[in-house]
Amino acid sequence: MRIWLNKYFGFSKSEFNGLLFLLLILCLIKSIPYIYDYFKPVEKDHPGLLAQLQKIKLTEDKKIDAGKYANGVEWKKRKENLFNFDPNTLSTDGWQSLGLSLKQAKSIVNYTQKGGKFYKPEDLQKMYVISPERYAKLLPFVQIKKNAVADLQKNMVDERKVYVKKPLQIIDINTADSAQLDEIKGIGGVFATRILKYRERLGGFHKKEQLLEIYGLDSIKYNEIKDQVSLSRIALKVVNINTAQFNDLKTNPYLSYRQINAIIQYRKQHGDYADISDLKKIAILNQKVIDQITPYLSF
């Protein structure tokens, strides 16, 4: 072998000896684990460790038993016993006899004890703990007593009584208080308060359409309530324009402060107003504003 290495790789005698030594060391390292296992002393089992291992094993066995058994009966060996039953009165044991687990049975019994009712066999499928397959098996055996059906019919009659529509009441918006306005369908406490405040500012409504001028009361709301309101012909609160001062006119929602000042200044410069047509001579009063304030002015 040395001759072959020397011929092909040019190994000298010392290099060949070094290679053999290296191979010997590698073989020794490789064999150390086997030598250690052969001469390793046998350790005795520690009594405390054995006790801990035994305790862990018993705990795991108990968990397995708890999963396998329910009320002392092994679940896997439980056989379903189908029979005619009323789901409104069936006990926990009865549901288990039908093939349900203890947890499923308790869930249904809790439902009935808290007032839940099965009025017809198909109501059984609303219980989420009953699978569709189990429901299909149980459905032919459901027999609900007649009194449960009677209760259902009574409840339906009661519901119809509750939801009977009350006849619409016609409310006079010029004389109604907040409680009466609140009776209008579509008008709550907020709108009732706004209507009263606007009526006070105006001095009374002279037409229904003035409700559209109230903040938040749009055309949709107006169309909803217009047939529920009436308008009595009360004496509107009017102001004599020839004697009125600024404070007398400032509550009128149709006039701005500039327009009020213009009315007073024109009167001071040209004398009393003869009729409503004189207001047309004031430049900042357009015809719409004049028409709006006319019912609330006297001369």
Side-chain angles (χ1 to χ4, degrees):
M1 181 179 178
R2 184 175 66 80
I3 297 172
W4 180 78
L5 289 172
N6 184 42
K7 179 179 179 181
Y8 290 98
F9 296 98
F11 273 47
S12 64
K13 182 178 180 179
S14 60
E15 289 173 338
F16 176 74
N17 292 335
L19 179 61
L20 289 178
F21 181 73
L22 180 60
L23 291 174
L24 179 63
I25 291 175
L26 291 175
C27 291
L28 181 61
I29 293 172
K30 188 71 174 178
S31 61
I32 285 175
Y34 300 99
I35 297 172
Y36 175 78
D37 289 340
Y38 182 78
F39 292 102
K40 181 178 68 174
V42 178
E43 294 181 358
K44 294 182 178 180
D45 293 333
H46 194 282
L49 180 61
L50 288 175
Q52 290 293 330
L53 292 173
Q54 185 66 21
K55 185 177 180 180
I56 293 173
K57 183 176 184 302
L58 289 174
T59 303
E60 293 298 326
D61 290 342
K62 287 181 181 179
K63 290 182 179 179
I64 294 173
D65 290 340
K68 291 171 60 180
Y69 292 86
N71 284 354
V73 180
E74 189 173 355
W75 174 251
K76 289 185 178 179
K77 294 182 179 179
R78 184 191 297 273
K79 292 183 180 179
E80 64 181 24
N81 179 25
L82 298 178
F83 54 88
N84 294 333
F85 67 96
D86 185 346
N88 290 306
T89 58
L90 193 62
S91 65
T92 302
D93 290 337
W95 285 109
Q96 286 185 274
S97 299
L98 291 171
L100 275 68
S101 68
L102 176 61
K103 185 177 180 181
Q104 292 170 328
K106 285 184 175 180
S107 176
I108 299 175
V109 172
N110 287 339
Y111 169 76
T112 55
Q113 288 179 345
K114 291 180 180 179
K117 291 287 185 182
F118 298 94
Y119 296 106
K120 57 183 183 297
E122 291 75 14
D123 287 346
L124 199 63
Q125 63 184 335
K126 66 184 178 183
M127 302 304 299
Y128 70 92
V129 296
I130 300 178
S131 66
E133 295 77 12
R134 179 68 55 188
Y135 166 75
K137 287 184 179 181
L138 297 180
L139 185 61
F141 298 92
V142 179
Q143 293 186 353
I144 298 175
K145 295 180 181 179
K146 292 182 179 179
N147 59 346
V149 178
D151 290 342
L152 172 62
Q153 294 173 344
K154 182 177 180 299
N155 290 338
M156 293 175 65
V157 172
D158 292 341
E159 288 178 0
R160 284 197 296 269
K161 289 180 180 179
V162 172
Y163 292 105
V164 170
K165 290 185 177 180
K166 295 181 180 179
L168 295 179
Q169 297 190 39
I170 308 301
I171 305 298
D172 186 344
I173 58 175
N174 265 336
T175 59
D177 57 21
S178 59
Q180 292 172 318
L181 290 172
D182 196 26
E183 293 179 5
I184 300 174
K185 184 180 178 182
I187 295 294
V190 174
F191 276 118
T193 301
R194 291 178 185 175
I195 291 172
L196 290 178
K197 287 182 177 180
Y198 198 69
R199 185 179 72 190
E200 181 65 22
R201 288 187 65 191
L202 285 172
F205 295 102
H206 72 89
K207 60 180 180 179
K208 289 183 182 182
E209 288 77 12
Q210 285 178 289
L211 292 172
L212 287 166
E213 299 165 6
I214 296 172
Y215 175 74
L217 205 158
D218 55 17
S219 59
I220 297 176
K221 179 68 68 176
Y222 174 75
N223 289 329
E224 182 182 352
I225 68 172
K226 67 179 181 179
D227 294 330
Q228 303 178 62
V229 300
S230 63
L231 199 64
S232 60
R233 295 299 175 184
I234 63 169
L236 300 178
K237 182 180 178 181
V238 297
V239 176
N240 189 318
I241 197 170
N242 288 319
T243 59
Q245 301 301 314
F246 182 87
N247 289 337
D248 299 323
L249 296 172
K250 72 177 183 179
T251 58
N252 192 300
Y254 302 123
L255 293 173
S256 67
Y257 286 178
R258 288 184 60 206
Q259 291 171 331
I260 295 173
N261 284 324
I263 292 173
I264 294 174
Q265 292 301 322
Y266 186 89
R267 185 184 67 200
K268 289 179 179 180
Q269 295 174 8
H270 300 87
D272 290 347
Y273 295 99
D275 53 40
I276 200 69
S277 62
D278 286 345
L279 292 176
K280 297 180 181 179
K281 301 173 183 178
I282 301 174
I284 63 174
L285 293 181
N286 57 40
Q287 189 60 47
K288 179 181 178 181
V289 173
I290 293 173
D291 292 339
Q292 288 174 326
I293 65 176
T294 296
Y296 303 99
L297 298 179
S298 66
F299 297 87

